[in-house]
Each structure stands twice: as C-alpha cells, then as structure tokens.
Amino acid sequence: MTIELLQQVRVIDPVSQTDQVSDVLITNGEIQAVATQITDIIPDTQIRDCRGLVLGTGLVDLYSHSGEPGFEERETLSSLLQAAAAGGFTRVSILPDTSPVIDHPALVAQLQKGIGREGGISSLSSSSFCLPRLNIWGAITLDVAGGQITELADLAAAGVVGFTDGLPLNNLGLVRRLLEYVQPLGKPVAFWPCDRQLTSNGVMREGADALRFGLPPIPVSAETSAIAALIEIVANIGTPIHIMRVSTDRSVELIAAAKAQGLPITASTTWMHLLLDTKAVKSYHTSLHLDPPLGNPSDLQALRQAVRGGIIDAIAIDHAPYTYEEKVQAFAEAPPGAIGLELALPLLWQNLVTTGEFTALELWQALSAKPAECLHTKVNPITPHHLAEITLFDPQKTWQVESKNLHSLSNNTPWLGKELTGKVLQTWC
C-alpha cells in the first residue's frame, strides 16, 4: 500500500472551482482526503512538504502530432508520452496525419497495442510520472486527402476519440454530408477552417510586420471565410463541432456570435498564439513558422480575452516535432510547427498567471477541464474518493531548455537554449 501526504499544497481544481492551500492524502492512487490540515497520519505515510507548489487536475491536450508511425526520427509514441508526462499532461490526443494515416480500425488497434508494449516512460522516474492516456483521432477522409469519407462507424467502434483530418476541408458538400453521418455516433468532430486558395504561398499573418520582414502574407479572410461557411452549415445541420487553431480577432467575433445564437460549437487556440505575435518573427526563427501563423498584436489580445471569457474553450498544444535538418532552412521553406508539450505550462504560467492577466484557475481550466469537455469526457475533481489524475507543479523552479533536458526527440522550439521558470515534478494517473 502506498500512502502519500502532500502538505500545504496549493490545490487548483477547475472542476470544483477551487483554488486553496490544503493537505491532500492519496492512498494507492485514490484521493482519500483534502483538508486544511490532516493530522491523523498512519505509519509508513510518505509525507511531503509542498509549500509553494501547485497541485492541479491532470492537463489534457486536444491535438498534437505524432511522428510514429512513419516519421520516428521526429518522434516516437514513447518519446511523445514521455514529453507529455514531463509537461504535466495525463491525456494526449494525436492527430491522424501519420504515415500510414489513421483512417482504418486496424491502425488504431496497432497503435493501442504498441503503447501497452512500450510502456512509454522508460526515461522518466516511474515513481514520479505516470503513463498519459493516449487518445487517437480518426481521419475524416481517406489518407486525409479531403476526398472520400472514411468508415466512421468502424473507427468509432475501434475506439477513436473523435474525427478530424487536422487539415483544411474546403469541400463544403463533403462537410455537410459528414455532419449528417456523424450525428448518431456521438463523437466530437473537429475542423481547421482555412481557405488554401486565400492562403496561397503565404507564411505570415498579413499586416505591417509582414511587409517589414518581407514575408508572403496570409490574409485574415483565409481563416474567417472558412469559419463563416462552417458556422452556416452547423446552423443548418445542428451537429456539434469543434473549431481548431483559432488565430484572429475576427474569428473570435464570429465564434462569439455563433455561440450567442446557441449553436453547438466549441473552439480552441494554441498555446503559442497566446504568447507571441508577429513581432517575434523578426528573428526569422523557423520554429516561429506556424500554421496558422502567429497573429498581429490585436489578435493575441483578442485570443487571450476569448480564453478568459470562455468564447475560446480550450488551449491546445498542437505539438509538431521536426528534425534539425527539416527546420534548418529559409523561414518560408521550413515546415510549419513547433514542439510544446514540455514547455506550455511553465511559459503560460510565467507570462499569463505571474503577470496577473489570468488567474491560475482560468489557465488550468483551459488546459485541463475544458479540453476534456471538448472531447466529450471529464477530468476527476481533486476531492475524496476520486482516482488521482493530478499534476504537481513548481512555479518557481528554473531549468534550461536544452536537448538533454527534453524528452521529445525533436527540439524545434524558439525557446531552445533559454532558461524557463516552472517545472512539473510529478503526475498521477
């Protein structure tokens, strides 16, 4: 029997909407007691002084990219789960754009068996970190090519968490049929609204900075026109949807109006779009080449307000690992994306909570309870008689972002070589 007592830890529970300092008693992975002070301590209890530390519900990632299968030099499932655990995540959801694409039940079963076989946390202390739950998104179309719809019912039966291509779907007739087909399955369906014809060869959000840096621009309408069309279809069909990768202030306005009408829509933005704007691209660091691109300063402020106000429900990580060779190119030629599972919590805490712009509860809700709700699931509250799915975080601990300190196989991040404040110490699943 393992009995742990976390003394005077700051408990942040977005489920019960509490943020308070308490003692927390955990027995064999189940929360036994949460109280101002626990004095009835039995022998062999492992007592830990947690003053200054934060204990929150486990973080939930809505969507990230896995290198495996097909691109194991970027990331394996094992390294992905290790990175997620080190970042405080107890659930990770991978997109279907692997090779082969996750568009058939057999591959879903293969990935599930692979996780059970590998274990996934070999380089982490097994006593400190648990194996995160792997959720698998099933593809909407075969080979994520935007053509033929997959066997949705078979994928649902195989255990996918929901359906998405993770790529733009510009065939609105297909989108309409999909929303009709998917209704009886009760699974979330996620779209990345983006008009590739309007995007053209752009790599940076249209505006003064794009002109200043001499990079091909992407107009706001590439995102907003696709969102507007998607909202109209939802209004007609009524199937709930999730809108991924929201990145502009006008998109926030459209989503807010749709929610005000009572349409069944949830939305997410990515963590980097809440931290950086177009001014950061001045460095031409290829890990700042994102898709959708970083927004203008007005976009960043609108996204932050939308997360706080619940217009944007969740913060996604959209972890996208690439090899050194793939990223060492001209800005416009490098593939878009950056890693983030190990970096998101400390950087968001440092830039949003420490500055007072977000409350700790607001940030934790957007990284934990709300992403789970977008996946039609729930996280356990930090209350007695619930299984412990929790994360212990030290907001004051400093560490260096270096390859040797990262569990991801890739290190494509603009924070490489920088010192961060905030480190996850332990997770329970």
Side-chain angles (χ1 to χ4, degrees):
M1 178 180 290
T2 302
I3 305 174
E4 302 167 271
L5 177 61
L6 308 181
Q7 291 183 320
Q8 297 303 286
V9 67
R10 181 181 179 183
V11 177
I12 300 176
D13 182 358
V15 180
S16 58
Q17 290 290 301
T18 56
D19 179 355
Q20 60 190 18
V21 174
S22 302
D23 284 2
V24 179
L25 184 66
I26 305 169
T27 303
N28 289 339
E30 181 178 305
I31 297 170
Q32 292 297 314
V34 179
T36 303
Q37 188 174 13
I38 297 174
T39 55
D40 187 12
I41 303 172
I42 68 173
D44 298 325
T45 298
Q46 300 173 18
I47 301 174
R48 187 170 185 173
D49 183 354
C50 291
R51 283 173 291 188
L53 305 185
V54 170
L55 186 72
T57 51
L59 305 186
V60 178
D61 182 40
L62 267 176
Y63 42 86
S64 281
H65 301 262
S66 171
E68 185 180 352
F71 302 99
E72 285 84 357
E73 68 277 9
R74 297 174 181 169
E75 194 83 281
T76 64
L77 285 172
S78 178
S79 66
L80 177 81
L81 293 175
Q82 290 177 43
F89 289 86
T90 55
R91 306 182 199 179
V92 183
S93 307
I94 62 170
L95 291 165
D97 60 341
T98 50
S99 182
V101 168
I102 306 172
D103 58 6
H104 192 276
L107 186 56
V108 177
Q110 179 183 330
L111 291 172
Q112 291 168 339
K113 288 180 181 177
I115 290 303
R117 183 175 62 252
E118 291 182 26
I121 52 172
S122 56
S123 72
L124 293 170
S125 169
S126 59
S127 62
S128 297
F129 293 90
C130 64
L131 180 68
R133 181 189 307 174
L134 180 71
N135 295 318
I136 301 170
W137 285 96
I140 290 172
T141 63
L142 292 176
D143 206 31
V144 294
Q148 183 178 344
I149 294 177
T150 58
E151 295 294 338
L152 302 173
D154 290 347
L155 285 169
V160 298
V161 73
F163 304 102
T164 187
D165 273 5
L167 296 171
L169 278 175
N170 292 323
N171 182 338
L172 295 180
L174 181 145
V175 171
R176 191 180 191 281
R177 290 197 309 275
L178 168 71
L179 292 185
E180 292 173 335
Y181 296 160
V182 81
Q183 263 188 354
L185 302 178
K187 295 277 187 180
V189 56
F191 296 95
W192 173 26
C194 177
D195 188 320
R196 285 302 194 196
Q197 288 183 316
L198 288 172
T199 298
S200 187
N201 67 336
V203 296
M204 184 177 174
R205 178 64 66 217
E206 187 176 63
D209 288 327
L211 287 171
R212 189 175 299 116
F213 304 150
L215 292 170
I218 297 176
V220 168
S221 57
E223 178 170 295
T224 56
S225 62
I227 288 179
L230 186 58
I231 287 171
E232 285 299 304
I233 295 174
V234 172
N236 180 239
I237 303 298
T239 303
I241 67 160
H242 180 80
I243 298 177
M244 309 166 65
R245 303 183 179 123
V246 178
S247 69
T248 75
D249 55 357
R250 176 59 182 153
S251 300
V252 169
E253 292 176 1
L254 291 169
I255 293 167
K259 287 190 169 189
Q261 295 170 26
L263 296 184
I265 290 173
T266 58
S268 60
T269 189
T270 81
W271 71 288
M272 286 185 67
H273 287 86
L274 293 173
L275 293 178
L276 302 172
D277 58 32
T278 51
K279 296 187 185 307
V281 181
K282 182 180 181 180
S283 67
Y284 295 96
H285 196 299
T286 55
S287 291
L288 296 172
H289 178 194
L290 305 177
D291 205 359
L294 291 171
N296 290 302
S298 61
D299 297 317
L300 182 145
Q301 290 305 317
L303 292 172
R304 288 184 177 184
Q305 291 170 14
V307 172
R308 290 197 66 196
I311 301 303
I312 292 179
D313 301 84
I315 302 170
I317 306 306
D318 208 8
H319 178 85
Y322 286 100
T323 64
Y324 174 81
E325 291 75 16
E326 287 174 303
K327 276 293 192 178
V328 181
Q329 300 186 53
F331 187 91
E333 302 301 321
I339 63 169
L341 287 168
E342 295 173 79
L343 309 175
L345 177 58
L347 280 162
L348 289 167
W349 186 281
Q350 187 176 343
N351 287 275
L352 298 180
V353 177
T354 301
T355 60
E357 187 166 351
F358 276 50
T359 67
L361 199 56
E362 287 170 340
L363 177 63
W364 219 277
Q365 180 168 270
L367 285 169
S368 179
K370 286 296 186 179
E373 288 178 17
C374 292
L375 295 171
H376 298 182
T377 60
K378 295 181 179 180
V379 293
N380 290 336
I382 307 177
T383 54
H385 313 303
H386 283 94
L387 292 176
E389 185 182 355
I390 49 180
T391 294
L392 186 64
F393 174 64
D394 184 347
Q396 301 301 324
K397 185 177 178 64
T398 60
W399 61 289
Q400 201 78 14
V401 183
E402 298 176 350
S403 296
K404 64 181 181 180
N405 294 331
L406 293 171
H407 296 88
S408 174
L409 295 185
S410 297
N411 58 21
N412 53 305
T413 172
W415 285 278
L416 189 66
K418 305 287 181 63
E419 184 178 85
L420 297 192
T421 301
K423 186 72 173 172
V424 172
L425 303 180
Q426 187 169 347
T427 60
W428 291 257
C429 297

